[in-house]
Amino acid sequence: MEDFYNLTSDGDLFTNYSTPYYQPDVAGTSSYPGIYQEPEPGDQDLVEVWSEELQRQQEQSIYFAFITNGVMLNVVAILGIIGNIISMIILSRPQMKSSINYLLIGLARCDTVLILTSIFLFGLPPIYDYTHTELLRTYNAKIYPCLTPYIFPLALTAQTVSVYLTLTVTLERFVAVCHPLRARSLCTYGRARLYVTLIIVFSFLYNLVRFWEANVVEETIMERGVNHTVYLVVASPLRSNPLYISFYIHWLYLIFIYFLPFSSLAVLNAAIYQQVRRANRERQRLSRLQRKEIGLATMLLCVVVVFFLCNILALVNNLLESFYEILIDELIKLSNLLVTINSSVNFVIYVIFGEKFKRLFLKIFCSHSIWTTFGGRESPDLMTHDDSLVSNGDGRSFSVRGNANNSLHLCRLHRSGTSVIRNGPSFKTSGFNKSGGANSIRVPRALSPGPCVYYPAKGSALKSSDWENEITTSTSLSQL
């Protein structure tokens, strides 16, 4: 994410997500320092050619900003806000409650804040610059300058929270995958809430000084014989201090926003990737919980890869500004777009790689009636506590359903004339005889508290000795 203040010839203070670099853009200079120089006043032909070239570059820059930030950024931002809201709804469901999901909810919240600030700072102004629509005239002349000194620090705070939440998610996965014995004590819901709180406090304190970087001044201009009051954002004395620019804006920004988190993410994800590869080679020997952790680690690896790809251009811009004082306007606008994409794309990654997330999404938003036909209470993996599938060992499958009284009903799914013989509690079996009539045998309620199913109902499961004479296999509904 970039952070750039540029005082233009009109006195406006423009902000972008790159390292802040205060450079008065005096009338007659270019955004590419050292490439073009203003000709001598006496050479009229060169002055006209230079003015035409400068105007052509300005028109191209306005059109480029309109396409990248005015159109693409706003479209991505709107879709990203919708996706983040859906992600927060799904991840906050009771069956999704976990430490990692709480961190992802916090990431979705700060990404939403970042997207909103991107719209106000970078999405709306290019639309007015290109179209000069009256709908945005008041916003561009009065609202935007007054909001910028407050929204921009908020955007940088959200960026800092997003970076360190991504690092925390990676660290949590590293512990769960590479040190599973310590995960039970370190990767808890309470600790996740503490981590999010500490990251928000740190990010706010780190960016607190940003609120004193800009001032709003009021000026009166003459337009078509009428006086108009406009508000301009100018750099404050603190923002113009060379020591402040060098120490805080350049070095601290590069260290705390890029070098430290990027290097940590690279090391941690390299270790996670090696563990995932090793686990995939031994997948048949993994438990269900281990396979779940590996799948979750793979999904979050994709989140981190997208984070790297979308922030690498902003890092390049910061390095160019900090060490070479080179500002390339097109690259800055592209990096702003990429940062917005990074904050908007996590929902797509969750749907593609998160099976549990995808099932909940389909249940809530796409095919609610299909899922509710099974009845029962929702289990942690979107199954039901009251339904499961079992086999009596002869190749025929049955649905075991517990009612409110904990009595059991065995309903045939495939073949008729099926009986279940077991030592211990019996079932009520129902089917059709050869003449088409129904056969029903009711037996006393079982003494055991419930069926031994994949997702047991509330209460303890049957002991293994109760089933020792029956060959039983179980599977979840998602495998049908």
Side-chain angles (χ1 to χ4, degrees):
M1 190 176 189
E2 301 174 18
D3 165 22
F4 163 63
Y5 283 136
N6 183 25
L7 185 63
T8 66
S9 57
D10 297 328
D12 295 320
L13 186 64
F14 285 89
T15 56
N16 297 281
Y17 289 132
S18 82
T19 306
Y21 180 73
Y22 175 67
Q23 180 186 16
D25 189 9
V26 183
T29 63
S30 172
S31 300
Y32 300 86
I35 298 179
Y36 297 100
Q37 292 183 351
E38 185 178 0
E40 295 295 331
D43 196 338
Q44 188 63 29
D45 293 338
L46 288 179
V47 169
E48 293 179 358
V49 172
W50 182 85
S51 299
E52 293 176 358
E53 178 66 18
L54 190 62
Q55 183 178 1
R56 185 184 65 84
Q57 288 186 4
Q58 186 177 8
E59 292 175 353
Q60 290 180 348
S61 178
I62 292 175
Y63 180 73
F64 184 84
F66 172 73
I67 295 298
T68 56
N69 289 183
V71 177
M72 298 177 65
L73 186 146
N74 286 320
V75 171
V76 170
I78 293 174
L79 296 177
I81 291 174
I82 296 174
N84 287 336
I85 292 176
I86 295 176
S87 298
M88 287 185 281
I89 293 174
I90 295 176
L91 294 174
S92 60
R93 300 281 289 181
Q95 62 267 43
M96 297 288 285
K97 184 177 181 179
S98 66
S99 61
I100 187 67
N101 287 341
Y102 187 84
L103 294 175
L104 293 180
I105 290 174
L107 183 61
R109 289 171 178 170
C110 75
D111 281 342
T112 302
V113 174
L114 187 60
I115 293 171
L116 290 173
T117 58
S118 296
I119 294 175
F120 288 122
L121 292 176
F122 314 127
L124 296 181
I127 297 178
Y128 175 79
D129 292 338
Y130 184 76
T131 62
H132 296 286
T133 175
E134 291 295 328
L135 296 176
L136 294 175
R137 182 180 182 84
T138 302
Y139 174 82
N140 193 71
K142 297 181 179 181
I143 300 177
Y144 171 77
C146 295
L147 290 180
T148 298
Y150 306 101
I151 292 184
F152 192 63
L154 181 62
L156 294 177
T157 302
Q159 177 205 9
T160 308
V161 174
S162 177
V163 169
Y164 281 94
L165 276 181
T166 303
L167 179 59
T168 305
V169 168
T170 303
L171 184 60
E172 201 265 1
R173 284 299 88 198
F174 172 78
V175 173
V177 173
C178 300
H179 302 280
L181 297 180
R182 302 183 63 184
R184 183 177 295 273
S185 60
L186 295 178
C187 304
T188 64
Y189 193 81
R191 285 181 177 269
R193 297 181 64 177
L194 177 62
Y195 298 152
V196 172
T197 302
L198 292 177
I199 289 173
I200 293 176
V201 172
F202 164 76
S203 302
F204 178 77
L205 294 178
Y206 174 77
N207 293 282
L208 183 62
V209 70
R210 300 280 190 177
F211 288 93
W212 287 273
E213 285 190 350
N215 296 325
V216 180
V217 298
E218 181 179 325
E219 289 190 3
T220 302
I221 61 173
M222 180 73 68
E223 183 179 0
R224 298 176 182 177
V226 180
N227 290 332
H228 295 275
T229 300
V230 296
Y231 298 92
L232 306 177
V233 185
V234 297
S236 66
L238 173 66
R239 183 62 184 79
S240 305
N241 188 290
L243 181 61
Y244 175 81
I245 294 174
S246 176
F247 177 73
Y248 177 78
I249 294 180
H250 286 172
W251 285 106
L252 290 185
Y253 192 82
L254 287 173
I255 292 173
F256 284 101
I257 304 301
Y258 289 106
F259 292 154
L260 180 61
F262 272 48
S263 58
S264 301
L265 286 171
V267 172
L268 293 174
N269 281 281
I272 294 174
Y273 177 72
Q274 292 296 328
Q275 188 68 19
V276 169
R277 290 190 59 186
R278 188 180 303 112
N280 285 332
R281 290 195 297 266
E282 304 174 358
R283 193 170 185 85
Q284 298 299 327
R285 296 162 54 185
L286 297 177
S287 66
R288 176 181 173 274
L289 179 60
Q290 289 174 323
R291 289 196 298 268
K292 178 182 176 182
E293 295 291 347
I294 293 299
L296 184 57
T298 303
M299 181 188 75
L300 296 177
L301 273 175
C302 298
V303 174
V304 175
V305 169
V306 173
F307 176 83
F308 272 114
L309 295 178
C310 292
N311 284 273
I312 192 66
L313 183 58
L315 174 60
V316 171
N317 288 333
N318 279 276
L319 294 176
L320 291 176
E321 295 174 28
S322 300
F323 299 104
Y324 302 100
E325 297 187 356
I326 296 177
L327 297 172
I328 303 178
D329 188 62
E330 284 77 8
L331 292 183
I332 292 175
K333 290 180 172 59
L334 279 178
S335 63
N336 293 337
L337 174 62
L338 290 176
V339 169
T340 306
I341 292 175
N342 177 67
S343 298
S344 306
V345 77
N346 285 346
F347 167 75
V348 179
I349 298 176
Y350 299 158
V351 171
I352 294 176
F353 295 96
E355 291 297 328
K356 183 176 177 181
F357 184 94
K358 180 165 55 180
R359 290 196 299 268
L360 261 178
F361 170 72
L362 293 176
K363 176 191 176 183
I364 298 173
F365 297 99
C366 297
S367 55
H368 181 73
S369 59
I370 296 179
W371 293 99
T372 54
T373 56
F374 294 108
R377 299 183 304 277
E378 293 173 346
S379 70
D381 273 333
L382 195 57
M383 300 303 109
T384 59
H385 286 288
D386 302 330
D387 297 328
S388 67
L389 194 73
V390 300
S391 170
N392 69 347
D394 61 358
R396 287 167 288 189
S397 298
F398 303 86
S399 172
V400 178
R401 175 170 298 174
N403 59 24
N405 297 322
N406 286 332
S407 60
L408 304 177
H409 299 272
L410 187 63
C411 306
R412 185 177 64 258
L413 294 182
H414 300 297
R415 306 169 102 179
S416 62
T418 302
S419 62
V420 177
I421 303 174
R422 60 189 302 277
N423 293 335
S426 300
F427 297 88
K428 172 187 176 185
T429 63
S430 59
F432 293 90
N433 56 28
K434 292 183 179 180
S435 62
N439 295 330
S440 178
I441 302 175
R442 180 176 296 275
V443 295
R445 175 181 171 182
L447 298 177
S448 55
C452 182
V453 296
Y454 196 78
Y455 292 107
K458 290 187 177 180
S460 58
L462 286 176
K463 295 181 180 180
S464 58
S465 60
D466 293 321
W467 299 81
E468 58 184 351
N469 292 325
E470 178 181 0
I471 302 175
T472 303
T473 59
S474 61
T475 180
S476 63
L477 293 175
S478 61
Q479 294 173 314
L480 291 180

